[in-house]
Amino acid sequence: MPLEPPEYYIGPRVKFLTHAFTRKFLELARAGGVDEVTIMHGQILGYLYRCSEKGQPVYQKDLEETFHITRSSVTGVVQLMERKGYIHRRSVPGDARLKELFLTDLGTQACKEAWVAFHQVEDLAIQGLTQEQVDTFLALCDHIHNNLNPQKECAHAHDKNHPSPSQRV
């Protein structure tokens, strides 16, 4: 059976896009003054920011569920973000084992600057596409996700606070 080049497969194409998004985001974030923020850090900062605006407490378990990552991964990311001064953890009254996560002033500023870079990358990505093309692409991504994870719904399918590129075209 002959193997086609990677550009004929969805997996490698998605990986190429992910790398392109990541490189461009980090380039624009650094140019905007955000230093040492990874994509996952930016996503967590954004999540903490949105939850704090709504007055919703956030715990490590929430990050595990929201981002579909393991407890050990969340622990490592949270510890690193705390060392960098982006977040702090506070014990919950009545349960010293449970720690609520909060953004620091530095974390809030990094979140806002990363958000600007994120939107710049999104705008570049959809440049020259019609609304219909963006909607089709997003629907195809959701369909592929559901094919690969039939028990899970796409993470952003019903998140009203997560603006998709199609809402900005």
Side-chain angles (χ1 to χ4, degrees):
M1 166 185 337
L3 293 176
E4 293 87 8
E7 60 268 15
Y8 292 105
Y9 293 101
I10 292 173
R13 190 64 71 92
V14 170
K15 184 177 180 179
F16 298 155
L17 278 174
T18 300
H19 284 259
F21 267 80
T22 300
R23 279 192 304 272
K24 185 55 81 171
F25 169 77
L26 293 175
E27 173 190 322
L28 293 173
R30 285 184 189 117
V34 180
D35 201 18
E36 298 184 39
V37 174
T38 67
I39 296 293
M40 180 55 66
H41 291 156
Q43 291 174 336
I44 290 172
L45 290 171
Y47 179 76
L48 289 170
Y49 185 83
R50 287 188 305 275
C51 288
S52 70
E53 284 188 322
K54 298 178 197 172
Q56 294 176 330
V58 177
Y59 308 98
Q60 285 190 208
K61 183 74 172 162
D62 298 321
L63 299 182
E64 293 170 31
E65 292 170 2
T66 300
F67 297 105
H68 307 287
I69 53 180
T70 64
R71 174 186 279 175
S72 61
S73 293
V74 170
T75 298
V77 169
V78 165
Q79 287 174 347
L80 181 60
M81 291 177 73
E82 193 171 31
R83 279 195 308 270
K84 290 183 176 188
Y86 295 131
I87 64 172
H88 69 276
R89 294 182 279 182
R90 189 178 325 151
S91 294
V92 175
D95 189 350
R97 296 170 298 160
L98 192 59
K99 307 278 192 237
E100 190 173 349
L101 305 176
F102 295 91
L103 283 176
T104 63
D105 290 342
L106 179 63
T108 299
Q109 185 61 34
C111 175
K112 290 176 180 178
E113 291 168 358
W115 193 242
V116 169
F118 172 79
H119 279 283
Q120 289 173 330
V121 174
E122 288 288 316
D123 290 342
L124 282 171
I126 63 173
Q127 188 174 6
L129 298 177
T130 66
Q131 178 69 46
E132 182 180 356
Q133 289 172 319
V134 172
D135 290 342
T136 299
F137 177 77
L138 294 173
L140 290 169
C141 288
D142 288 348
H143 189 93
I144 291 168
H145 180 271
N146 290 332
N147 285 346
L148 297 173
N149 299 290
Q151 72 283 4
K152 296 178 183 175
E153 196 170 306
C154 179
H156 302 296
H158 297 292
D159 186 353
K160 304 290 187 229
N161 296 314
H162 178 77
S164 66
S166 64
Q167 294 171 331
R168 298 189 341 260
V169 173

